[in-house]
Amino acid sequence: MALNPITRRALALTLRQVSLQQTAAASSVSKIGSREVVGFGFNGTPCYVDRADFPMPGVRFKENTPDIQALREKEKGDWNKLTLEEKKALYRASFCQTFSEMKAPTGEWKSVVGLSLIAASLAVWVYMWMKLFVYSSIPDTLSAEKQEAQLKRMIALKANPIEGVSSQWDYSKGEWK
C-alpha cells in the first residue's frame, strides 16, 4: 500500500507527537516519585499546586508510605470509624494547605508599601538635590512688578485685540471691561 506524501507527513507528525508525549510522561513520573496521580492536573500535567481557583491537583501532596496506605484502606470503609486525627492525616497526605491557609494574608503588602515609600522618599531627595544644584534661580521677570509692567506693555501695544488680553481692556475709560 503506497501512501501519498501528505498522508505520510501527517503520520510522521502524529508519531513524533506521540513519542514526545511518552517521553514527557516518563520524565514527569520521575519528578513525582511514588505519589499517586489522581486527576488531570493543572494544564494537564501531573504536578502539585495549591491554588484556590484550581482546587484539585493532579497528584497527591505526599508520597505513599505504609501508614498512609493503611489509612487509605481504612477510609474505604465507614468514615464514622475514622478518628479526627486520621481524617486530618488523610487530608494532609493529599493536600498541603486548606482553603483558609491558602486565603490567609501573607503580609506581602507591608513590603510593597515599604518599598513604595522608599521610592517616594528617594524621588523627593533627588528633586531637592536637583532644585539646589541643577536648576538656576527663578528669573526676575517672574516678579510681580515685572509681570505688571509686561501687562501694561501688552495693553499699550494692543497685543491680540480680538481674543487676547487687549480685548478685555477698555481703551476709552482706561480700565478693564
Side-chain angles (χ1 to χ4, degrees):
M1 166 175 108
L3 297 174
N4 65 12
I6 295 173
T7 308
R8 230 181 299 144
R9 184 175 178 132
L11 185 61
L13 285 173
T14 304
L15 289 174
R16 190 177 307 138
Q17 288 176 347
V18 168
S19 68
L20 287 175
Q21 288 174 353
Q22 287 175 350
T23 57
S27 67
S28 63
V29 168
S30 66
K31 291 178 185 176
I32 63 171
S34 67
R35 294 188 293 170
E36 184 181 359
V37 177
V38 291
F40 182 71
F42 185 66
N43 289 335
T45 58
C47 64
Y48 183 85
V49 178
D50 273 330
R51 290 180 57 154
D53 61 338
F54 190 80
M56 297 298 190
V59 295
R60 296 198 189 274
F61 176 64
K62 291 184 180 176
E63 293 188 2
N64 289 329
T65 62
D67 297 336
I68 293 173
Q69 289 293 78
L71 284 175
R72 292 215 193 283
E73 289 299 320
K74 193 173 177 183
E75 85 175 321
K76 290 179 183 175
D78 187 14
W79 273 61
N80 290 329
K81 294 179 182 176
L82 290 172
T83 65
L84 182 63
E85 294 303 318
E86 290 173 334
K87 290 177 187 176
K88 286 182 181 180
L90 279 170
Y91 183 85
R92 290 299 181 177
S94 294
F95 303 102
C96 179
Q97 295 179 321
T98 63
F99 275 97
S100 59
E101 290 171 343
M102 280 188 268
K103 296 283 191 177
T106 60
E108 181 185 7
W109 67 272
K110 297 172 191 175
S111 62
V112 171
V113 169
L115 289 174
S116 300
L117 290 174
I118 288 171
S121 68
L122 182 65
V124 168
W125 280 106
V126 168
Y127 170 76
M128 289 171 49
W129 180 82
M130 298 277 280
K131 186 93 169 142
L132 286 174
F133 298 109
V134 176
Y135 301 136
S136 59
S137 60
I138 296 175
D140 63 339
T141 55
L142 292 178
S143 65
E145 60 271 356
K146 294 277 185 160
Q147 286 183 344
E148 187 178 339
Q150 184 179 10
L151 182 62
K152 287 180 183 178
R153 176 86 173 140
M154 289 173 69
I155 291 172
L157 291 175
K158 296 183 182 177
N160 202 1
I162 306 294
E163 295 179 355
V165 177
S166 298
S167 66
Q168 304 297 320
W169 183 258
D170 188 358
Y171 286 96
S172 60
K173 294 181 182 178
E175 60 185 31
W176 295 104
K177 291 182 183 179

